[in-house]
Amino acid sequence: MDAKGVQKRLSENMRRIRKEKGMTQFALAEKANISEATIKSVELCLNWPSENTLAQLANALEIDIAKFFLPQAHSIEIKDENQKEIKKIIADNLKLYVERVLEEFVS
């Protein structure tokens, strides 16, 4: 799965989760303390959100951040190697994020 595919999955999952929670884009933006335009741009695959924005969105939706990137059980079948690749991408990005946060505390 390439970067565009990961971005599309993020977009679809965020929209689906937001709707499952009964939230409008405006309500999510308010709860996450970000602009409604940011929500729209992520859901339309126009921009990648920053790590901070992703964390704010996950907190506002009360989910683990990884749920933005995981395939849905009811979606098309995903081959095992794709699942491994997705998990590795998520793990690598989370590792980098944790390392940066830890550096800030040490500095």
Side-chain angles (χ1 to χ4, degrees):
M1 177 175 285
D2 63 2
K4 198 65 175 167
V6 174
Q7 184 179 19
K8 184 176 181 195
R9 178 160 297 148
L10 164 64
S11 167
E12 291 170 351
N13 284 341
M14 191 174 99
R15 181 181 304 112
R16 180 187 48 76
I17 294 166
R18 174 181 60 76
K19 288 182 176 184
E20 286 174 356
K21 302 267 183 181
M23 299 176 80
T24 63
Q25 290 178 335
F26 180 77
L28 177 57
E30 279 194 328
K31 190 170 181 183
N33 197 31
I34 58 177
S35 72
E36 187 177 5
T38 297
I39 303 292
K40 288 179 182 183
S41 72
V42 173
E43 288 190 0
L44 293 173
C45 286
L46 299 176
N47 293 312
W48 272 99
S50 68
E51 292 170 354
N52 188 45
T53 299
L54 273 177
Q56 288 172 276
L57 289 166
N59 286 335
L61 291 168
E62 299 173 351
I63 62 164
D64 185 291
I65 200 166
K67 286 194 175 195
F68 285 136
F69 303 99
L70 297 176
Q72 295 304 300
H74 62 275
S75 66
I76 60 171
E77 283 190 38
I78 306 295
K79 295 180 182 177
D80 286 336
E81 60 268 12
N82 286 340
Q83 289 180 6
K84 288 178 185 177
E85 183 181 346
I86 292 166
K87 288 178 182 178
K88 182 178 181 337
I89 291 168
I90 292 169
D92 289 346
N93 283 315
L94 288 175
K95 181 181 174 189
L96 288 171
Y97 175 74
V98 169
E99 288 173 355
R100 284 188 214 144
V101 169
L102 290 173
E103 285 177 11
E104 289 178 19
F105 285 113
V106 174
S107 299

